[in-house]
Amino acid sequence: MDGQIQRDEFLAPNGLLAFIRSHFLKQNVPVAPVPDIRHDKHGWFSYFDEDGSGELSVQEVTRGLIKSYKLAQDIQSVNRLREIVGELVCVFDLLVGLRPRVTFDHRQH
């Protein structure tokens, strides 16, 4: 095992993609639309607060922005957004321990 996966291993009928689809992805579950961040900031925050902690991790913020601005197909924009969000968390000193998170108090503004 070399720590990498080949295309055939990933796409094979019983490959990694098939395994992920059958074990991790919810099938035929209706997905609520993403609240418009311009009109419903609290709803948007709650939608992406997947664990209900009252905080958004850097990953949750990034995922929310990617979905809100429909960037998923533009890998360069996704990568740049990840960098920007990571940098902003540090700039605004929102670090909690070693896990950067945006808290409930910060969403009030």
Side-chain angles (χ1 to χ4, degrees):
M1 181 175 285
D2 63 2
Q4 296 188 17
I5 187 164
Q6 303 298 315
R7 180 187 311 247
D8 292 341
E9 295 169 323
F10 184 76
L11 298 175
N14 292 320
L16 180 59
L17 180 59
F19 178 83
I20 291 169
R21 283 184 174 156
S22 66
H23 290 86
F24 296 104
L25 299 180
K26 298 174 184 172
Q27 300 293 325
N28 300 321
V29 175
V31 177
V34 174
D36 188 331
I37 194 171
R38 296 169 295 177
H39 304 291
D40 185 7
K41 292 174 181 71
H42 294 286
W44 185 92
F45 189 100
S46 295
Y47 184 92
F48 290 103
D49 183 11
E50 294 178 351
D51 58 4
S53 66
E55 303 177 326
L56 296 180
S57 67
V58 171
Q59 291 81 9
E60 288 169 329
V61 171
T62 304
R63 188 177 312 112
L65 293 171
I66 289 168
K67 288 188 177 209
S68 295
Y69 294 103
K70 298 174 180 36
L71 300 175
Q73 301 301 317
D74 183 352
I75 195 67
Q76 288 180 326
S77 292
V78 167
N79 289 334
R80 184 66 185 131
L81 183 63
R82 283 186 180 129
E83 290 175 19
I84 291 169
V85 171
E87 291 169 6
L88 287 176
V89 167
C90 293
V91 168
F92 288 103
D93 196 30
L94 301 177
L95 296 176
V96 177
L98 296 177
R99 291 183 3 185
R101 301 184 75 77
V102 176
T103 64
F104 180 82
D105 292 336
H106 291 96
R107 70 181 174 137
Q108 299 294 325
H109 303 292

